[in-house]
Amino acid sequence: MSGPIPSTPGALDDRELKLMIGAVASVLFIASLGQTVVTTALPTILSELGGLSQITWVITAYLMAATVGAPVCGKLGDLFGRKPVMQGGIVVFLVGSLICALAPNLWVLVAGRFVQGVGGGGLIVVSMATVADAVPARERGRYQGMLGSVFAASTVVGPLAGGFIVQHFAWEWLFLLNLPLGLAAFVVLARSLRSVPTGRRPSIDYAGGLSLSLLLSLAVISASLGGSTLPWSSAEMQGLLIATLAALAVFVMIESRAKEPILPLRLFRINNFLVSNAVGLIVGSAIFGTIVFVPFFMQVVRGMSPALSGMFTFPMMLGIILGSSISGRIMVRTGRYRWMPTVSTLILAGAMASLAQMGTGTSEWWIAVSMVLTGLGIGPVMAVGVTSIQNAVPLTMVGVGTASANMFRMIGGSVGTAVFGAVFAAGLTRELGGALGGMNPRSLSKDAIMAMEPGLREAVVTGIAEALHPVFWAATVLACLACLMSLFLAEIPLEDRTMSRTAEAD
């Protein structure tokens, strides 16, 4: 897939280039912040709009939409150029933000998050390509590294900013603040980014995008309702599962015939592509499950403020950065990577098992250490996964192979958080069903818990902590499964791959 390349990459003067990079960086920051900024704010939002058992829908809707929006917008960038697609993505993202801010109930908020996700997923992909189009080749590494830092920073800043905003302002400001920032980025892009004809009209896999949307929607709905709202043996649940399998079959059929498929099926015959993305999918569920439920635990069970609870995601991000850095240095020095996902997923399993024992009296230092270990278990998987895929796929498919790593991680995040949400909802019913005098435990809110008599409140928060234990035990089992899968990763020494690429180029 080739993008619009300016005929004179250096045509932008320094001032214009700085304006364009600043605008692109702000767009990327806003879009990636949308994934995490609501995590610490969810208990407050749900106290007003809905029960605690619906906590994962607000995250899942964004991730699911972004998973589909990213490859579709990437294709549109090839067809129409980066500038109009980026500006269109900003408009879609801001419309979603406005829907969220004005949402009168939970399901309108979820719909707004879905619209946000379509725009956000596209902005993340197209912003990276925009820099490659606008600057000389020898400068691209520096600017892409800068955007990578922006993306990493957003994962740390998001939970902290979300907690601060809902503690001091109305939660609607989480979304309203996007409007002036997005509009400013739109105007600056209009002035600093030039439209460049693509010179070709590639085929866009619209049917593949629609079928992927349907498949993901059915998978997430099935994971959310199964075993909690609907028994697995019910006719409705069986119908959903059959529909999900049918959607999968339709997607495979469409992708096998598409001229430029969103996800070429022949990649699945490559061992390292399959293994790395399977491990990444599981780790994606651990990432988003942790950043949703740990701040939730700290607020509802431990009584922390939203801003302070957001601080407990920082150790995990620190671990991710440290783990990625260490694994990257090892790969540079040795060219080997096969063993690192196995070790890191074992660490992740231990961290999830530790979080599965959180209770009302658990030390905050213990939780922080567990979060660092969680990050150390995730970081090497992210770094090694992309490298092993790039080192295994054909040179002509490095781009789609790299994009697949992010896509499967987000699929894991959306489906995984839905599954964890269903596990938690079932746990609430099990732990608190007889303690609330007929009140439905799934309709609980943070404010309602705080207003209870001390004895009842203590019983409720203990029950909520117990309901969270199966969530992290499930994550422990998944991490162990990822560890077993990683054993099938093939070692293709990086030096050999580099030499073969040089030979191919010659």
Side-chain angles (χ1 to χ4, degrees), residues 152 155-156 313-331 339-340 344 347 368-369 371-384:
T155 61
V156 177
T313 61
F314 182 77
M316 185 180 83
M317 299 308 166
L318 185 65
I320 290 176
I321 294 171
L322 183 61
S324 299
S325 176
I326 292 173
S327 60
R329 288 179 179 272
I330 292 174
M331 284 189 286
W339 58 272
M340 284 188 280
S344 64
I347 294 173
V369 170
M371 293 293 279
V372 172
L373 292 175
T374 300
L376 288 173
I378 292 170
V381 171
M382 296 173 67
V384 173

Side-chain angles (χ1 to χ4, degrees), residues 280-290 409 412-417 420 475 478:
L281 185 144
I282 292 175
V283 168
S285 68
I287 294 173
F288 290 99
T290 303
R409 194 159 53 240
S414 57
V415 176
T417 50
F420 293 153
L478 287 175

Side-chain angles (χ1 to χ4, degrees), residues 12 43 49 77 89 97 130 138 177 211 242 286 303 307 337 361 378 445:
L12 295 178
L49 297 183
S97 298
T130 299
R138 63 195 302 176
L177 287 176
S211 61
I242 292 172
Y337 51 83
I378 292 170
S445 68

Side-chain angles (χ1 to χ4, degrees), residues 178-302:
N178 289 331
L179 300 181
L181 294 175
L183 290 173
F186 186 98
V187 172
V188 173
L189 282 175
R191 299 185 60 182
S192 63
L193 190 62
R194 301 175 183 178
S195 296
V196 181
T198 64
R200 70 186 189 96
R201 288 294 182 266
S203 172
I204 297 181
D205 187 14
Y206 292 111
L210 289 173
S211 61
L212 180 60
S213 302
L214 178 62
L215 173 59
L216 289 176
S217 300
L218 289 171
V220 170
I221 291 171
S222 299
S224 300
L225 301 181
S228 56
T229 304
L230 294 175
W232 289 106
S233 59
S234 66
E236 295 89 344
M237 198 65 233
Q238 296 296 317
L240 275 174
L241 294 176
I242 292 172
T244 302
L245 292 175
L248 175 61
V250 170
F251 176 71
V252 170
M253 181 182 68
I254 290 173
E255 293 300 274
S256 65
R257 300 178 180 180
K259 182 179 178 181
E260 293 188 24
I262 286 179
L263 189 61
L265 298 181
R266 65 191 181 99
L267 286 175
F268 288 92
R269 295 196 291 267
I270 299 174
N271 177 77
N272 281 10
F273 175 90
L274 189 61
V275 173
S276 295
N277 280 326
V279 173
L281 185 144
I282 292 175
V283 168
S285 68
I287 294 173
F288 290 99
T290 303
I291 64 176
V292 168
F293 285 106
V294 170
F296 172 82
F297 172 87
M298 302 309 294
Q299 288 184 53
V300 176
V301 177
R302 303 299 291 270

Side-chain angles (χ1 to χ4, degrees), residues 339-425:
W339 58 272
M340 284 188 280
T342 303
V343 173
S344 64
T345 48
L346 274 178
I347 294 173
L348 179 62
M352 293 295 101
S354 176
L355 291 174
Q357 302 176 61
M358 290 189 303
T360 55
T362 304
S363 166
E364 292 172 5
W365 281 105
W366 179 269
I367 297 173
V369 170
S370 299
M371 293 293 279
V372 172
L373 292 175
T374 300
L376 288 173
I378 292 170
V381 171
M382 296 173 67
V384 173
V386 172
T387 301
S388 64
I389 290 171
Q390 291 175 337
N391 203 41
V393 302
L395 293 176
T396 55
M397 306 187 77
V398 167
V400 69
T402 303
S404 72
N406 183 63
M407 188 178 81
F408 277 96
R409 194 159 53 240
M410 294 180 74
I411 290 173
S414 57
V415 176
T417 50
V419 172
F420 293 153
V423 171
F424 174 60

